Amino acid sequence: MGRGAAKKKANLNELKQELEIDVHKVSVEELCKRFKTQVERGLTDTQAKANFAEYGPNALTPPPQTPEWVKFCQQMFSGFACLLWLGAILCFLAYGIQASAYEEPPDDNLYLGVVLTAVVTVTGIFSYYQESKSAAIMESFKNLVPQYALCRRDGEKVTIPASELTLGDIVEVKFGDRIPADIRVLEARGFKVDNSSLTGESEPQARSPEFTHENPLETKNIGFFSTNAVEGTCVGMVVNIGDNTVMGRIAGLASGLDTGDTPIAKEIAHFIHIITGVAVFLGVSFFIIAFILGYNWLDAVIFLIGIIVANVPEGLLATVTVCLTLTAKRMASKNCLVKNLEAVETLGSTSTICSDKTGTLTQNRMTVAHMWFDNKIVEADTSEDQSGSAFDKEAPGWKTLERVGILCNRAEFKPGQDNVHILKREVNGDASEAAILKCTELSKG
């Protein structure tokens, strides 16, 4: 166990080290020799299969999964549920003592033990069902849109799943694509990438074949896995895949962190300690008093168990679970999926939420609102149904501006959207150019 923890810590420390690679410094010829590939023809099928067998798939290693039976047991025997189980066991114990001492023992403790067992079992199953359903939905999202890459194999351009890429593959990337692995840029034509997922830099970063910086994160001839191409096209050589990519190292660091307890879990644990302490103190105190007053030891033990069970709030677990579930269902109706019921209360107790704006708080859609032509500022109709005020589309200045907006634009509509309203169509290209494209499409058609 100790060696496993030490190994995990060593792996985390290794991931935290500065990225040390030389693929951005060496010449293209040296890279081709290293990965046994050719720029024009790419890898042969035989070499690609050999590399795939040696280096594995181009995919991030998923974090270790908790077995379903362990998740179920965690719900059934969590902190507060354990207190209820203890209460149920004490009830059955008290009934057993009474059954051995009396011919017709009272059934109160038996009924209470059965009720406690039923409450903790039903709430445990309910919580497990809610979280397993959310986990299944999240799992289905992963396979919703599989990523593909255009690469050269044996001199032919083939489209393959990104997970089948391997070191030495020559890939072609165009604007709108997601870079399928860490690549060394060999050719670039106005190529820019969005590195915001790695560096937080919102402005598109130019990429070119030239080596510009010693640090691989700063040089312009490296494109990183999972970043998006927003302009231009490029040809690149795959130099790192899967967990060895920069994004893979970040994912490894993130998955190695302990999540810790939620605020409600800490509060319930604290409450359990207080209730347990009070129950045991009162039970022992009355047990001693019963002995002093001359009660039979059997009656004193029953008294002790009764006092302890009476201090257990049997309905609290069911109440908390139902309240959190109702809130989770309300959030689900707002298209917000709750993976962990306890997170509902955590979200309710937050005072500040830090969030990326673009595409999170907004829809990542830009719209032309104002234009300048014929020496005046003209307001455009920004409503989705085009019910607002319209400008003069026959004005000579607008005709010139419209022509420029159409011809000097690299954005293009994705195919298969003929029945979708123009402003809601998906576009390949920069967001501002997409807005100009939609504006001119509305006018020209």
Side-chain angles (χ1 to χ4, degrees), residues 216-387:
L217 296 175
E218 299 291 339
T219 187
K220 290 188 175 182
N221 62 350
I222 295 288
F224 299 109
F225 170 55
S226 83
T227 58
N228 292 310
V230 293
E231 286 185 34
T233 60
C234 94
V235 176
M237 182 188 299
V238 175
V239 293
N240 270 322
I241 59 172
D243 292 333
N244 293 322
T245 61
V246 173
M247 184 58 77
R249 292 164 63 89
I250 293 173
L253 283 170
S255 63
L257 297 174
D258 294 326
T259 53
D261 293 330
T262 59
I264 193 171
K266 292 177 181 176
E267 290 292 335
I268 289 176
H270 180 62
F271 177 72
I272 289 170
H273 293 149
I274 294 174
I275 287 294
T276 306
V278 170
V280 171
F281 172 75
L282 289 177
V284 171
S285 299
F286 280 97
F287 177 75
I288 295 171
I289 292 171
F291 252 131
I292 293 172
L293 295 176
Y295 280 85
N296 182 22
W297 71 271
L298 198 58
D299 293 332
V301 169
I302 299 296
F303 203 44
L304 165 67
I305 293 173
I307 291 291
I308 292 176
V309 172
N311 280 281
V312 175
E314 292 86 357
L316 182 61
L317 181 62
T319 305
V320 169
T321 304
V322 168
C323 288
L324 294 180
T325 304
L326 290 175
T327 308
K329 286 191 176 298
R330 286 179 61 190
M331 293 179 71
S333 67
K334 304 285 186 183
N335 298 323
C336 179
L337 184 65
V338 177
K339 293 195 292 182
N340 182 354
L341 276 181
E342 290 182 350
V344 174
E345 191 276 338
T346 306
L347 183 63
S349 63
T350 53
S351 56
T352 304
I353 297 177
C354 301
S355 173
D356 169 36
K357 179 182 74 68
T358 306
T360 306
L361 301 179
T362 63
Q363 294 181 331
N364 199 18
R365 284 163 49 191
M366 295 180 69
T367 309
V368 173
H370 298 86
M371 298 171 287
W372 186 84
F373 58 84
D374 292 339
N375 289 322
K376 60 182 178 181
I377 296 175
V378 179
E379 286 192 14
D381 185 3
T382 57
S383 59
E384 288 195 349
D385 57 358
Q386 295 296 289
S387 58

Side-chain angles (χ1 to χ4, degrees), residues 35-52:
F35 297 124
K36 301 184 178 72
T37 187
Q38 300 176 39
V39 174
E40 295 301 325
R41 296 185 58 81
L43 290 171
T44 63
D45 283 337
T46 306
Q47 188 61 46
K49 289 177 181 176
N51 285 5
F52 188 85

Side-chain angles (χ1 to χ4, degrees), residues 18-332:
E18 195 70 37
L19 187 64
E20 294 181 3
I21 55 175
D22 65 346
V23 290
H24 60 300
K25 301 178 186 177
V26 299
S27 65
V28 175
E29 292 75 18
E30 173 65 27
L31 280 180
C32 288
K33 288 180 183 178
R34 183 182 300 182
F35 297 124
K36 301 184 178 72
T37 187
Q38 300 176 39
V39 174
E40 295 301 325
R41 296 185 58 81
L43 290 171
T44 63
D45 283 337
T46 306
Q47 188 61 46
K49 289 177 181 176
N51 285 5
F52 188 85
E54 182 178 355
Y55 302 113
N58 176 35
L60 301 181
T61 303
Q65 297 292 320
T66 306
E68 292 299 316
W69 68 271
V70 174
K71 292 181 182 177
F72 182 72
C73 289
Q74 286 174 342
Q75 295 296 341
M76 293 293 288
F77 302 103
S78 59
F80 194 73
C82 282
L83 191 60
L84 293 186
W85 280 117
L86 178 62
I89 291 169
L90 289 177
C91 286
F92 290 130
L93 180 62
Y95 178 75
I97 293 173
Q98 288 175 326
S100 63
Y102 307 113
E103 289 186 5
E104 295 184 3
D107 296 332
D108 300 0
N109 286 319
L110 176 63
Y111 293 150
L112 185 55
V114 170
V115 169
L116 286 176
T117 304
V119 166
V120 73
T121 302
V122 170
T123 52
I125 292 173
F126 199 66
S127 298
Y128 170 74
Y129 169 73
Q130 180 72 22
E131 293 191 9
S132 61
K133 186 173 69 172
S134 299
I137 294 173
M138 292 299 292
E139 193 66 28
S140 68
F141 287 162
K142 294 180 182 178
N143 303 319
L144 201 58
V145 183
Q147 187 187 359
Y148 289 88
L150 180 64
C151 74
R152 299 172 183 174
R153 292 272 175 93
D154 277 330
E156 296 182 2
K157 294 181 181 181
V158 293
T159 300
I160 63 172
S163 59
E164 294 181 11
L165 287 176
T166 188
L167 297 181
D169 264 324
I170 306 299
V171 296
E172 297 186 11
V173 183
K174 66 179 186 302
F175 64 89
D177 291 346
R178 194 172 75 170
I179 297 180
D182 282 0
I183 62 173
R184 163 76 179 266
V185 178
L186 306 177
E187 303 171 17
R189 288 173 287 278
F191 189 58
K192 289 185 179 181
V193 294
D194 176 13
N195 277 354
S196 58
S197 59
L198 283 176
T199 62
E201 182 65 49
S202 59
E203 289 295 319
Q205 304 295 299
R207 285 294 177 261
S208 63
E210 290 80 28
F211 164 58
T212 58
H213 203 285
E214 287 287 333
N215 188 336
L217 296 175
E218 299 291 339
T219 187
K220 290 188 175 182
N221 62 350
I222 295 288
F224 299 109
F225 170 55
S226 83
T227 58
N228 292 310
V230 293
E231 286 185 34
T233 60
C234 94
V235 176
M237 182 188 299
V238 175
V239 293
N240 270 322
I241 59 172
D243 292 333
N244 293 322
T245 61
V246 173
M247 184 58 77
R249 292 164 63 89
I250 293 173
L253 283 170
S255 63
L257 297 174
D258 294 326
T259 53
D261 293 330
T262 59
I264 193 171
K266 292 177 181 176
E267 290 292 335
I268 289 176
H270 180 62
F271 177 72
I272 289 170
H273 293 149
I274 294 174
I275 287 294
T276 306
V278 170
V280 171
F281 172 75
L282 289 177
V284 171
S285 299
F286 280 97
F287 177 75
I288 295 171
I289 292 171
F291 252 131
I292 293 172
L293 295 176
Y295 280 85
N296 182 22
W297 71 271
L298 198 58
D299 293 332
V301 169
I302 299 296
F303 203 44
L304 165 67
I305 293 173
I307 291 291
I308 292 176
V309 172
N311 280 281
V312 175
E314 292 86 357
L316 182 61
L317 181 62
T319 305
V320 169
T321 304
V322 168
C323 288
L324 294 180
T325 304
L326 290 175
T327 308
K329 286 191 176 298
R330 286 179 61 190
M331 293 179 71

Side-chain angles (χ1 to χ4, degrees), residues 424-438:
K424 293 184 178 180
R425 290 181 188 174
E426 294 185 8
V427 178
N428 285 329
D430 182 76
S432 57
E433 291 194 345
I436 296 172
L437 172 67
K438 290 177 181 179

